[in-house]
Amino acid sequence: MTQGTVSNLIHDRNARGRTKIGWLDSYHTFSFGNFYDPGRMGFRALRVINDDRVAPGAGFPMHSHRDMEILTYVIEGALEHKDSLGNGAIIKPGEAQVMSAGTGITHSEFNSSGTDPVHFLQIWILPDEQGLKPRYEQRDFPLEEKQGQWRLIGAKDGRSGAVTIHQNVDLYVSILAAGDRLFYTLQPERYGWLQVAKGMVVWGDQTLREGDGVAIAAGEQLDLSSDTGAELLLFDLA
């Protein structure tokens, strides 16, 4: 980890944990599985960001969770979801999926293609209360709503068509073309986490690349630009 602009802490992509087996190549921004770093236990209510690539036809068989808000954001390819609530869906780029594990849910996630890999982020957020009723939600967000601007895709109140997250967090996505510039100002009592899902972005004197994350100080202002294009996730957190 290195110190970034204006007292913000960069979590370097090369310092992430990694799980690599035959069908899975996964990078862990925060401690997960066999990767443990006491300095990387999460940020505010954000607990896990796993950057997963799954081979064609392979995936995570049925397994269970409790008391966690689990979001899936597909960057390339398509992911097939099934769960104990009876849901079955294909998650594609441009869509946001959230699963509230609550009192308990079992699910599987498989690459729906027999020929192409799938690349996605799996995000875990601690809920604001335990013992919630398990639920599933998935929505599509067209490219034009994210191009060169922030699009809210997840929020506690589900406003503006976002999926509902049981936590005081607003999750935004933006897709930048070369030459785009993007701004965001955190309120004085709010903190941010910026995750570069794809491409490269410049903030002040720092160049952030795919896999980099930044813990952002309360009240900070973001002034981002890209010479090559980028796909970004921004968590606005209590």
Side-chain angles (χ1 to χ4, degrees):
M1 289 183 271
T2 57
Q3 194 69 23
T5 309
V6 204
S7 302
N8 300 309
L9 190 64
I10 296 176
H11 286 231
D12 188 275
R13 63 198 179 281
N14 295 317
R16 293 177 295 175
R18 189 178 188 184
T19 298
K20 188 174 184 181
I21 54 179
W23 56 273
L24 172 67
D25 193 1
S26 178
Y27 287 91
H28 316 305
T29 294
F30 303 120
S31 294
F32 185 88
N34 292 327
F35 170 61
Y36 175 74
D37 181 338
R40 286 180 176 245
M41 295 304 297
F43 180 74
R44 315 301 291 183
L46 183 57
R47 178 61 188 85
V48 167
I49 301 178
N50 286 346
D51 189 338
D52 294 342
R53 288 172 171 82
V54 174
F60 301 92
M62 283 288 182
H63 58 287
S64 299
H65 299 280
R66 292 179 60 92
D67 294 318
M68 192 68 69
E69 299 291 287
I70 300 173
L71 293 93
T72 300
Y73 185 80
V74 175
I75 300 167
E76 294 178 328
L79 194 67
E80 182 177 5
H81 168 90
K82 293 181 180 179
D83 64 44
S84 54
L85 301 179
N87 297 299
I90 304 296
I91 311 164
K92 298 178 181 179
E95 298 178 335
Q97 178 241 49
V98 62
M99 186 175 62
S100 297
T103 54
I105 194 169
T106 300
H107 75 115
S108 66
E109 310 289 339
F110 272 81
N111 187 341
S112 66
S113 172
T115 57
D116 301 316
V118 61
H119 178 200
F120 63 97
L121 300 180
Q122 185 172 92
I123 299 156
W124 293 10
I125 296 174
L126 297 168
D128 53 12
E129 60 179 298
Q130 296 189 337
L132 294 166
K133 182 179 178 180
R135 61 181 291 273
Y136 178 88
E137 187 178 1
Q138 180 176 340
R139 296 190 184 180
D140 179 59
F141 298 90
L143 175 62
E144 58 267 23
E145 296 182 5
K146 298 175 286 188
Q147 190 72 60
Q149 60 188 339
W150 295 114
R151 174 52 162 112
L152 183 72
I153 67 168
K156 181 174 176 62
D157 58 5
R159 69 187 185 280
S160 303
V163 298
T164 300
I165 303 171
H166 292 298
Q167 181 53 262
N168 186 0
V169 56
D170 290 338
L171 171 56
Y172 295 89
V173 169
S174 183
I175 296 177
L176 302 183
D180 281 348
R181 193 174 179 186
L182 191 62
F183 301 90
Y184 190 87
T185 300
L186 289 163
Q187 295 302 308
E189 73 283 2
R190 305 286 292 185
Y191 299 81
W193 182 276
L194 180 70
Q195 187 72 24
V196 183
K198 193 174 181 181
M200 184 166 55
V201 67
V202 176
W203 181 12
D205 60 357
Q206 298 288 337
T207 298
L208 307 172
R209 295 173 173 80
E210 179 178 323
D212 284 338
V214 187
I216 306 167
E220 185 62 85
Q221 181 175 11
L222 284 75
D223 180 350
L224 307 169
S225 61
S226 180
D227 296 328
T228 59
E231 188 164 357
L232 308 173
L233 280 73
L234 175 64
F235 300 82
D236 184 324
L237 300 145

